[in-house]
Amino acid sequence: MLVKLAWRNIWRNARRSMIILLSVIVGLAAIVLYDSISVGMIRQMLDNQIGAHVSHIQVHNEGFSDNKIIQNYIPDPEKVEAAIQNTPHIRYYSKRVITFGILSSAYSSSGISLIGIDPGKEEQVTKIKESIIEGGYLSGKEHEIVIGKQLAEKLEVGVGDKVVAMASALSGNIGSEMFRVAGIYRTFSSEFDKTHIYVNLPGAQKMLELGNNISEFAVILDDLDQQQQIKTQLAAALNDHYEVLTYKELLPLLVMQVEVYQESIFIFYAIIAVAMIFGIINTMLMSVFERIREFGVLMAVGMKNRRLFWMILLEAFFLGTLGTGIGFVISYLLYLPLSNSGINLSAFSDSLTSFGAGTTIYPVLTVESVISALLVIPFIAVLGAVYPAFKAVRLEPMNAIRYV
Amino acid sequence: MEIIKTIDLEKTYRDNAMPVHALKGISLAIKKGEYTVIAGPSGSGKTTLLNLIGALDKPTKGKVFLEGEDISRFSRNQLGELRLNKIGFVFQAFNLVPVLSSLENVEFTMMLKGIPERERKERALAIMQELSIDMLADKRPNEMSGGQQQRVAVARAIVNNPSIVLADEPTANLDTATGSDLLDLMEQMNRERNITFVFSSHDQQVIKRAKRLLTLKDGKIVEDKMIEG
């Protein structure tokens, strides 16, 4: 009956309850949408980085990640390849030669990161093939090069034009090679497009005097969550002369950004909570003051303080839960189409691409976000009712009955 | 058997730091089955006495015994427990819970006592039938007349078989005929169920029906007389 009483009590002043419900609904919708957009953006940034180049796990010669010089090549790539092939849950891998150099056209030159790849394997690991916007992907022919849109613009070259790449070879001499632009790509990041060029692996090995050696294995797993376990297995299969790094170790800034976000969402929750809690306190206080006589009677006929206290908290809980339920349905209905079509933020494309995010953000609603939102709001509502409930139970029944 | 006994009961309020002596040394005893009216002019201390007897307030001095137990120093919780189990209240303004139906209002104190729903419904309906208000079971207070509400309040007060029912100006908000009907009902309950009633009232029709009349003036009992039926 206490539940029935609390439920009916919230509808005594339907307009007031509707106002507080509305604030709960708006607060919840703000939390859900902000959270899902932020998670979507962070995930997109992470997926972009993983899909563009980083992959889930990379294997190098020891020290390569700190000093990416060509001399830091993997001396025994067959051994590493065998270890990768023998490790379960590795879906794809790609061999790369990586070095820094200069790419020149007839008009300009630019510092670049030269990546020699096996095109067939690389397209399983990264999205570079999907990112081609002009021309085509590497076909394996000699002297092919794929460059980014930004770089092409800077060098004033197009598909079919000649460019010359120069980089320090293994011997210390400058290795150089003429390439013809086979394709131009555009990724999520203008910075990436400006600096990364792709050539066929044998051509890069030849130019850099590497023989059959390579700089890096990039690995894609069946499941991203297995990265730590697979890293351990791979490291155990190799010796100390190799470094096995997960994407978290390769992208510390982005990982930190994710952590900062995870903390910042709580600040957002706190802001919403503070705004909401005062609304609840105000509503419940009004409700308590309007019912002082009634509380006096309830206490006079033997209702204990504890029950009265719970009844008021229950009223707030109902308001919070109802608002959360309606708010969640509304948020979800808003979220669903947005998660399919994405939110087009092309108006901010410059800042977004330099930030590493795409121009269309796809909100992602996680189970954690749903649980947090569904629990936090009713909790805040109940918390907001504690003070009014405390005021109610401190009433003296005799005085309360005569309250006018 | 004495249901209520007070010894040298005093109650002093502080009004703007000035002490107001509402009761000055009240000693009385009320026996099981009595039908007592506390009468007196406004400010004589009727309601204060009723509040002390009803465990709604604590005396400044003196003692209140309910069925032989000194309740003057009971804690807030103990007083609440006592009111729930041993005292029934009928208020001037009916004071039913507006969001509950009549039946639920009558059930309410049984719910507080933890009586299972089925039993409390049966008991509530039985008492409502006895008071001829069972047809009002589904109605909420705002759908009933004052007289009907007060009958429901009486049902709520007696449904737990309390040791005593305290009625503070129960007819004050009713017209004469309705008030008279209500008093008939309470007399009937007193007669048939031997329920002890204590009224506080200055309504002449209440006073005329008293079997014992306690008259207060300036916080003191100035007359205590048994009236022959």
Side-chain angles (χ1 to χ4, degrees), chain A residues 218-229:
Chain A
V219 173
I220 291 291
L221 310 177
D222 287 338
D223 183 354
L224 189 59
D225 292 338
Q226 295 171 317
Q227 31 126 5
Q228 200 54 44
Q229 174 201 336

Side-chain angles (χ1 to χ4, degrees), chain A residues 246-262:
Chain A
T246 66
Y247 77 93
K248 286 188 175 176
E249 292 159 313
L250 292 160
L251 299 167
L253 276 177
L254 197 57
V255 170
M256 196 171 74
Q257 215 170 336
V258 172
E259 284 166 5
V260 166
Y261 159 73
Q262 280 164 348

Side-chain angles (χ1 to χ4, degrees), chain B:
Chain B
M1 180 197 174
E2 283 171 353
I3 297 289
I4 292 287
K5 186 178 173 185
T6 69
I7 301 172
D8 201 19
L9 210 52
E10 289 188 16
K11 182 69 187 178
T12 305
Y13 296 109
R14 299 235 155 235
D15 186 11
N16 293 328
M18 288 290 291
V20 176
H21 302 288
L23 292 180
K24 300 168 187 166
I26 302 278
S27 295
L28 63 85
I30 294 170
K31 290 190 178 137
K32 171 84 180 154
E34 278 191 9
Y35 192 85
T36 305
V37 175
I38 302 168
S42 291
S44 59
K46 301 187 297 290
T47 300
T48 304
L49 180 57
L50 212 65
N51 286 340
L52 292 175
I53 293 172
L56 286 170
D57 200 3
K58 290 182 181 181
T60 311
K61 198 180 155 199
K63 288 183 175 179
V64 182
F65 293 88
L66 180 68
E67 292 183 330
E69 194 172 19
D70 182 5
I71 63 167
S72 345
R73 299 288 173 260
F74 268 26
S75 70
R76 209 180 143 110
N77 265 342
Q78 283 174 309
L79 289 176
E81 193 74 33
L82 186 85
R83 290 193 298 267
L84 177 62
N85 291 305
K86 296 193 172 177
I87 304 170
F89 289 94
V90 178
F91 301 99
Q92 177 181 337
F94 326 132
N95 288 339
L96 299 176
V97 181
V99 294
L100 298 181
S101 68
S102 301
L103 182 68
E104 288 165 341
N105 265 289
V106 178
E107 276 183 67
F108 189 73
T109 52
M110 289 189 279
M111 182 275 286
L112 295 177
K113 288 179 82 169
I115 294 170
E117 189 176 355
R118 194 171 160 182
E119 185 188 337
R120 65 178 193 242
K121 275 205 190 311
E122 282 171 7
R123 278 173 59 180
L125 272 173
I127 200 82
M128 289 179 84
Q129 270 167 359
E130 199 176 332
L131 302 187
S132 306
I133 50 170
D134 49 321
M135 78 295 283
L136 303 173
D138 295 329
K139 291 203 182 297
R140 290 200 184 178
N142 63 350
E143 297 168 326
M144 293 187 287
S145 68
Q148 288 172 327
Q149 287 187 59
Q150 201 62 306
R151 278 171 172 259
V152 174
V154 171
R156 178 179 68 182
I158 66 177
V159 73
N160 271 333
N161 298 315
S163 307
I164 189 166
V165 172
L166 305 175
D168 187 12
E169 308 274 7
T171 56
N173 286 350
L174 303 176
D175 60 58
T176 310
T178 312
S180 177
D181 287 347
L182 183 80
L183 292 171
D184 287 346
L185 181 76
M186 296 213 246
E187 273 183 21
Q188 182 194 338
M189 290 296 112
N190 170 252
R191 201 170 48 243
E192 292 174 1
R193 289 171 152 252
N194 201 29
I195 295 172
T196 312
F197 278 91
V198 178
F199 294 81
S200 128
S201 182
H202 52 235
D203 180 350
Q204 279 307 312
Q205 69 169 338
V206 178
I207 293 167
K208 276 180 194 163
R209 288 168 180 245
K211 292 175 187 163
R212 181 184 177 189
L213 182 64
L214 281 164
T215 308
L216 291 188
K217 191 176 178 190
D218 296 331
K220 288 181 179 171
I221 297 175
V222 292
E223 189 179 26
D224 180 358
K225 66 174 177 186
M226 303 300 286
I227 297 160
E228 293 300 317

Side-chain angles (χ1 to χ4, degrees), chain A residues 1 4-5 8-9 12 293-294 297-305 307 393 395-396 398 401-402, chain B residues 47 51 56-57 76 80-81 83-84 89 91 93 95 97-99 104 107-108 111-112 140 168:
Chain A
M1 188 184 274
K4 197 189 285 181
L5 186 58
R8 289 182 191 170
N9 277 336
R12 289 167 81 153
R293 264 177 74 157
E294 191 178 312
V297 173
L298 294 179
M299 288 190 274
V301 299
M303 191 176 200
K304 287 193 181 139
N305 287 353
R307 267 214 159 107
V393 297
L395 293 168
E396 286 296 335
M398 183 192 70
I401 291 169
R402 282 174 175 74
Chain B
T47 300
N51 286 340
L56 286 170
D57 200 3
R76 209 180 143 110
E81 193 74 33
R83 290 193 298 267
L84 177 62
F89 289 94
F91 301 99
N95 288 339
V97 181
V99 294
E104 288 165 341
E107 276 183 67
F108 189 73
M111 182 275 286
L112 295 177
R140 290 200 184 178
D168 187 12

Side-chain angles (χ1 to χ4, degrees), chain A residues 177-190:
Chain A
E177 192 71 55
M178 189 278 292
F179 294 97
R180 201 172 283 276
V181 177
I184 295 172
Y185 69 84
R186 182 166 62 199
T187 66
F188 60 93
S189 165
S190 51

